[in-house]
Each structure stands twice: as structure tokens, then as C-alpha cells.
């Protein structure tokens, strides 16, 4: 089924939250307030895959950061406000989250959402020249997409994620210049 990539708007919130609940374990799901803050403070970074009849099949959230060659772990704090970190004149995209509807996974739309949303942001904001993100070691599909899109691992942030068995897992930091 063909989907259309477009900027997210406030009216997408119910669908974004449905995708969030389908995408992540309850303990790490973001709240509606967090998405509303991102949409308000960093609308340039919020994208959705639109299907038929108002249904969304994916979202991707990002911010623009000032480029720091050596990454600062504090910047990736889970509950940071986009209003504190997003800068329209930033040079680096930070991809904070991405989900594809489970009904659609494994058909290439995750990679396409990731690639096309980044391409749109870079086309609209010529100062951008780098992209950074963190990923849970257990999120194999996401890691495959990032590797395939040319990202390399540049470090780790220890004990960032909680695993299903209560252990803490590092966040792998990946960047593409
Ligand atoms: C990550 C996610 C968005 C990918 O969406 P998707 O539509 O399944 O992605 P694609 O169909 O484009 O496939 C992605 C790649 O991962 C691979 N893949 C899928 N599951 C895999 C697994 N368990 N192990 C290894 N690779 C896997 C696919 O083969 C494909 O690789 P290829 O392009 O080289 O063939 C989706 O799985 C998702 O929403 N996951 C839950 C939330 C999440 O992890 N978000 C990312 C971090 S914020």
C-alpha cells in the first residue's frame, strides 16, 4: 500500500500515540505531553506516514542540534524538552524516535520513512550536515536500517535502557556525517 510522507500536525496525536504504544514496551513509551512538546518546539523534525482514511502507518521525530564532534551523553537525556535543545540553525539532526505500524513492518517502509524524512529535512534546512541517534542493542531492525543508511557506531551511553528482564542496557550512539 502506498503511503505519503508529510509533516506531523497536532491533529495526528491520537494516531501517533497508537503507534507509540505499538512500538515500545510500556516502560519506555513517551507520553502525549512529550509529543505535544516536540510538535510545538520542533515541528520541522516531526513526520508521519499517511495512509488512507486518516490512518497513520509511521512516525519519525527529530530535533536540530548544534554540531558537537564529541557527543555529550547529557544531551540524550530521556525526558529533555525539545525547546531546550532544538535550534533551527543547528547543523545536526538528532533522530529521537521512529515507529512503523506492526501491520506494515518488514516491507521496507521503516527504511523509507527514515531515509525520506531525513532527505526532506536536509533539503529544507541547508545548514544541516550530520545526523546522530541512539539505539537499543536489541532493536535489530532499527540497527539494520541505520547501518544500511551509512551510520557508524561512535560510542555508548551506559545503562540507558531497561531490558525486559530488568537489566540495564547501553544506548549505542550512531552518527552519519
Ligand atoms: C524499526 C522499525 C521502524 C523498522 O520498520 P520496518 O518497516 O520493519 O523496516 P523495514 O521493512 O524497512 O526493514 C528494516 C530492515 O531490518 C531488517 N530486520 C527486521 N527485523 C530484523 C531482525 N529481527 N533482525 C535483523 N534484521 C531485521 C529487515 O530485514 C530490513 O533489512 P533490509 O532492508 O536489509 O532487508 C519497526 O520495526 C518498528 O517500529 N520497531 C519498533 C520501534 C523501534 O524499534 N523504533 C526504532 C528505534 S526509535
Amino acid at each position: 500500500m502506498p503511503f505519503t510522507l508529510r509533516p506531523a500536525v497536532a491533529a495526528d496525536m491520537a494516531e501517533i500515540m497508537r503507534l507509540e504504544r505499538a512500538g515500545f514496551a510500556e516502560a519506555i513509551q513517551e507520553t502525549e505531553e512529550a509529543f505535544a512538546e516536540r510538535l510545538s518546539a520542533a515541528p520541522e523534525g516531526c513526520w508521519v506516514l499517511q495512509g488512507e482514511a486518516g490512518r497513520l502507518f509511521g512516525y519519525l521525530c527529530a530535533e536540530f542540534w548544534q554540531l558537537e564532534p564529541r557527543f555529550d551523553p547529557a544531551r540524550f537525556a530521556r525526558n529533555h524538552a525539545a525547546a531546550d535543545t532544538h535550534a533551527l540553525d543547528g547543523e545536526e539532526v538528532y533522530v529521537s524516535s521512529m515507529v512503523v505500524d506492526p501491520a506494515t513492518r518488514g516491507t521496507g517502509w521503516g527504511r523509507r520513512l527514515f531515509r525520506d524524512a531525513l532527505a526532506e529535512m536536509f533539503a529544507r534546512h541547508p545548514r544541516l550536515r550530520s545526523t546522530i541517534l541512539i539505539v537499543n542493542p536489541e532493536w535489530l531492525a532499527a540497527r539494520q536500517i541505520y547501518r544500511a543508511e551509512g551510520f557508524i557506531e561512535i560510542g555508548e551511553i551506559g545503562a540507558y535502557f531497561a531490558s525486559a528482564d530488568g537489566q540495564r542496557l547501553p544506548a549505542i550512539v550512531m552518527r552519519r556525517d
Side-chain angles (χ1 to χ4, degrees):
M1 185 189 289
F3 303 124
T4 306
L5 180 72
R6 64 164 173 79
V9 295
D12 294 325
M13 187 59 76
E15 279 289 277
I16 289 174
M17 291 310 297
R18 179 182 63 77
L19 292 167
E20 178 72 4
R21 286 190 286 270
F24 298 106
E26 195 170 351
I28 59 165
Q29 287 167 14
E30 304 269 17
T31 63
E32 186 167 330
E33 289 70 32
F35 281 103
E37 198 272 336
R38 288 175 178 171
L39 266 171
S40 161
E44 304 79 12
C46 300
W47 296 84
V48 293
L49 279 180
Q50 169 85 60
E52 289 174 351
R55 188 175 170 92
L56 299 185
F57 286 83
Y59 82 73
L60 181 144
C61 289
E63 302 167 12
F64 302 167
W65 287 358
Q66 303 298 347
L67 186 56
E68 287 183 0
R70 296 177 65 185
F71 74 88
D72 174 7
R75 278 176 137 186
F76 298 92
R78 272 182 56 74
N79 295 322
H80 78 267
D84 295 336
T85 47
H86 179 65
L88 255 188
D89 63 351
E91 295 155 322
E92 181 162 65
V93 178
Y94 164 55
V95 180
S96 55
S97 191
M98 167 175 75
V99 169
V100 162
D101 191 311
T104 310
R105 284 183 202 159
T107 59
W109 279 99
R111 185 163 177 187
R112 199 158 157 187
L113 166 64
F114 185 73
R115 191 179 53 213
D116 292 356
L118 282 172
E120 285 284 348
M121 288 185 264
F122 275 72
R124 292 171 185 217
H125 303 276
R127 286 179 64 88
L128 294 172
R129 59 192 177 96
S130 177
T131 308
I132 196 165
L133 53 82
I134 54 174
V135 65
N136 183 317
E138 295 183 338
W139 295 346
L140 300 180
R143 291 180 70 183
Q144 173 61 21
I145 291 173
Y146 305 152
R147 266 194 302 266
E149 290 296 318
F151 284 69
I152 57 167
E153 299 183 8
I154 59 167
E156 284 189 1
I157 304 172
Y160 187 92
F161 292 104
S163 71
D165 59 3
Q167 302 296 305
R168 305 294 297 181
L169 294 173
I172 300 169
V173 185
M174 302 184 82
R175 173 177 266 159
R176 182 180 66 191
D177 290 322

